[in-house]
Amino acid sequence: MSDQPSGFTFNGRPVALRIGQSVAAALTEAGQRPFRVTAKGEKRGMFCGMGVCQDCLVTVNGVPNQRACMTPARDGMQVATQVAFAALTEQPAVQTQEGRQLAPDVLVIGAGAGGLNAAIAAAGSGAGVVVLDERKVSGGQYYKQAAGAASVLDTQQQDGAALIAAAVSAGVEILSEVEVWGVFEGLLVMAHHEGRALIARPRTLIVATGAFERPRMVPGWTLPGVMTTGAAQTLWRSYRTLPGKRVVVAGSGPLNLQVALELSRGGADVVMVSESARPPYRQPLAAARMVAAGPRLAARGLAMSLGLRQRGVNVAHQTSLSRVVEVENGLKASFKDAHERQIDHLVDAVCMNDGFEPQNEILRLLGADMRYDPAFGHLRCKRDSTMQTSVPQLYAIGDCAGLGGAPAASVEGTIAGLAAASYCRDTPLPDLRKLQSSLAAHRRFQQRLWALYDIGPRDLSAQDDDLVVCRCEEVSLGELRQALGTAPGHAGTVKRATRAGMGRCQGRYCGPVTARMVAERDNRQVEDRSFYAPRVPIKPVSITAILAAQEMLDGND
């Protein structure tokens, strides 16, 4: 018998399966774009590719609300289209194992570049370290490790594998596929792992949850086949699955260039990369400052641009996505250039990245002070020189504290790991001057790099009322505008009036838009309190998981 899986079924039809693939990857490879149907009858598919948007829900073996992008595909599965408010046909497995309690010196949430470096530094200083990671394979969004039998793609994945191995060698315990759903005062962390409750009470907590991509909200951005650039990269780098045969990449930033080149090398026909910013040669002073701050990284970016040119991929600057329409053989993506001329492409997939939003729910729930960065349109966590927040023994590193890039996150992780271990071991803090100098250089490069791109929040004032802003509750821009005319000046009141932000993703996409709309109407600055208040559970989790955790807490009283 072959040790290769034969596949699973989707709505009764066979779907081929390769070892290590997620359900979303296998369905995408089979040409299946829609995964679920909304309450209004709209089709939805994979969008974020990292478990944030909650839009790729499917029913697996009778159990609804399973995220296809986070669910490993297994031989013999019965997968079906998720219908809004689906009823259970089979009961999910109840907890049969006793829950686990942890009390490490250092708990790290997130196993990306920052989290792994923090864990290595803390463990190397003698602290007991546990890392909780949501994904099956550690490495985060930057290193994006290959899953299953997929070969290592490049040096970036090699470096990630080496970092994971270094953490394990240092004695770090890494727990994968952990859903952290609650954090409470006193650094109490509640999670679900392998079908049982997990409660952690660390002496210090390092949050390294990264960021998720900001979409370009245009008509059609919720259609199946429209996804973030990072989702397309995950499909390829982790599962060797292309998002489609013909692809267009839209938005602003260097990630779009990298992913377009990777997909082209993988066999996709990348018909265009639309970049809303001006080309670097029209920003000579800013480009020169960026090169001076990081010659090697700048050379890498130039190599990507040349690689795209050699492959015949058109990078259209000052060109923005304006609309996506479903047609018979795929999607028609429309763009507007600097002269307001329309450009249309018929594609299988539209990949978009228009900036980033920090995953800062844990930090905000614990009361860490924030400030709004108008240039990036998101909140940044206030930290001292050791990455400690305003909450004692709570550290924030990497993009969850505000966009800074993987090199900076790595150094921040090392600093935070050393500081946390110093506190736990009651030893003097090592000399951090060299690390802080390196961090300053990385931050300087990032600042000058982003000056070349168009990563600020978008003005939706020119969009029509029927534009969907809240994916989960299907709330339109017109409904938000109407609520602004009657509700007091706070995003929370708009939320109650429209249900925007009450869905499964908890306002991660519509929340920042609503906060800015309220601030603009009232002619005041955006601040932390302008946003929807974070709430527990941070992400959807079964009631049995919550009850199991509560039973564990009650048993400790």
Side-chain angles (χ1 to χ4, degrees):
M1 294 179 62
S2 171
D3 59 356
Q4 294 292 321
S6 59
F8 60 92
T9 62
F10 182 70
N11 295 334
R13 296 182 178 180
V15 176
L17 165 63
R18 289 186 284 110
I19 293 176
Q21 277 186 313
S22 66
V23 170
L27 289 175
T28 300
E29 193 165 274
Q32 176 66 44
R33 297 291 189 275
F35 295 171
R36 76 178 184 98
V37 179
T38 71
K40 294 184 179 180
E42 299 294 326
K43 297 178 181 179
R44 296 287 172 80
M46 186 176 78
F47 181 67
C48 75
M50 57 185 293
V52 171
C53 73
Q54 309 285 326
D55 235 358
C56 64
L57 300 180
V58 292
T59 298
V60 178
N61 297 331
V63 181
N65 302 320
Q66 306 302 301
R67 290 172 295 177
C69 71
M70 303 293 286
T71 303
R74 294 188 173 90
D75 193 27
M77 270 183 170
Q78 294 181 355
V79 183
T81 297
Q82 168 76 48
V83 179
F85 313 120
L88 285 172
T89 57
E90 294 184 16
Q91 291 298 316
V94 297
Q95 178 169 317
T96 57
Q97 303 180 67
E98 186 177 340
R100 183 179 178 188
Q101 299 192 52
L102 302 171
D105 291 330
V106 181
L107 181 70
V108 182
I109 301 179
L116 289 173
N117 275 284
I120 292 168
S125 299
V129 184
V130 175
V131 176
L132 306 182
D133 190 33
E134 186 178 22
R135 303 197 69 84
K136 181 179 180 180
V137 182
S138 299
Q141 295 301 308
Y142 179 74
Y143 289 118
K144 276 194 172 79
Q145 294 297 285
S151 60
V152 174
L153 190 64
D154 51 25
T155 56
Q156 191 168 320
Q157 284 192 333
Q158 289 176 352
D159 291 344
L163 195 61
I164 296 168
V168 174
S169 178
V172 175
E173 181 180 6
I174 302 177
L175 301 180
S176 301
E177 298 183 89
V178 178
E179 190 74 77
V180 175
W181 58 264
V183 292
F184 303 89
E185 186 178 358
L187 306 185
L188 171 63
V189 177
M190 293 189 180
H192 201 59
H193 180 233
E194 295 182 343
R196 58 177 177 167
L198 179 68
I199 295 178
R201 298 179 185 270
R203 297 185 65 192
T204 58
L205 175 60
I206 300 177
V207 179
T209 45
F212 58 94
E213 290 169 274
R214 179 187 297 150
R216 170 79 66 155
M217 290 185 179
V218 298
W221 76 286
T222 61
L223 288 170
V226 180
M227 66 185 72
T228 66
T229 303
Q233 187 182 47
T234 297
L235 284 173
W236 177 245
R237 292 183 70 84
S238 296
Y239 308 114
R240 299 298 182 271
T241 300
L242 293 171
K245 294 179 181 179
R246 284 176 57 83
V247 177
V248 67
V249 181
S252 189
L255 178 63
N256 287 342
L257 299 178
Q258 178 183 348
V259 175
L261 183 58
E262 291 173 355
L263 296 180
S264 179
R265 287 172 174 169
D269 178 11
V270 182
V271 298
M272 186 176 75
V273 177
S274 80
E275 168 56 62
S276 56
R278 293 179 297 161
Y281 66 83
R282 291 189 177 177
Q283 307 177 71
L285 180 58
R289 286 168 56 85
M290 183 267 292
V291 172
R296 292 179 60 185
L297 291 174
R300 181 182 174 187
L302 178 61
M304 288 192 298
S305 297
L306 293 175
L308 288 169
R309 181 178 297 180
Q310 291 170 354
R311 302 192 69 85
V313 177
N314 175 36
V315 179
H317 286 87
Q318 294 178 274
T319 302
S320 299
L321 181 68
S322 59
R323 178 179 294 272
V324 183
V325 178
E326 188 175 24
V327 294
E328 183 178 356
N329 296 316
L331 300 170
K332 185 177 78 170
S334 299
F335 300 82
K336 292 289 183 67
D337 66 10
H339 303 288
E340 291 297 309
R341 293 174 298 197
Q342 182 167 312
I343 304 167
D344 295 330
H345 287 291
L346 180 63
V347 295
D348 301 309
V350 176
C351 309
M352 56 167 65
N353 175 293
D354 215 28
F356 294 87
E357 296 287 349
Q359 293 205 75
N360 54 25
E361 296 82 15
I362 292 175
L363 298 170
R364 295 180 67 211
L365 275 169
L366 291 174
D369 290 342
M370 301 276 171
R371 67 175 179 85
Y372 182 71
D373 184 339
F376 285 82
H378 63 223
L379 295 172
R380 290 187 180 273
C381 184
K382 296 180 180 179
R383 302 170 291 173
D384 65 16
S385 61
T386 67
M387 306 304 121
Q388 186 171 211
T389 70
S390 59
V391 179
Q393 285 71 65
L394 173 65
Y395 301 82
I397 59 175
D399 290 347
C400 70
L403 190 63
S410 298
V411 180
E412 288 180 1
T414 299
I415 292 173
L418 292 172
S422 174
Y423 170 82
C424 294
R425 307 295 292 177
D426 194 22
T427 56
L429 186 65
D431 188 347
L432 300 177
R433 284 178 295 182
K434 186 174 181 180
L435 285 168
Q436 289 170 341
S437 175
S438 174
L439 177 58
H442 288 311
R443 287 176 172 173
R444 185 164 53 250
F445 173 79
Q446 283 290 319
Q447 182 180 25
R448 294 179 180 180
L449 170 69
W450 287 116
L452 291 168
Y453 290 100
D454 180 24
I455 42 75
R458 300 298 164 200
D459 179 9
L460 299 182
S461 60
Q463 292 287 354
D464 293 337
D465 282 348
D466 59 358
L467 174 71
V468 174
V469 175
C470 176
R471 296 178 68 98
C472 301
E473 295 296 316
E474 301 179 276
V475 179
S476 69
L477 183 60
E479 290 174 288
L480 293 178
R481 286 168 172 163
Q482 184 177 6
L484 281 174
T486 58
H490 191 276
T493 57
V494 176
K495 178 179 181 179
R496 288 188 289 274
T498 63
R499 291 194 59 81
M502 291 188 181
R504 292 180 63 91
C505 94
Q506 300 193 2
R508 286 173 170 84
Y509 296 103
C510 65
V513 173
T514 305
R516 288 191 291 270
M517 289 178 67
V518 171
E520 288 168 7
R521 190 201 68 167
D522 295 344
N523 193 28
R524 56 185 173 83
Q525 297 296 316
V526 180
E527 56 185 16
D528 185 10
R529 294 182 181 273
S530 302
F531 289 75
Y532 298 149
R535 67 184 190 268
V536 173
I538 298 168
K539 290 184 178 179
V541 66
S542 68
I543 190 66
T544 57
I546 297 175
L547 291 174
Q550 186 61 53
E551 288 178 3
M552 288 177 61
L553 288 177
D554 292 343
N556 292 333
D557 292 341

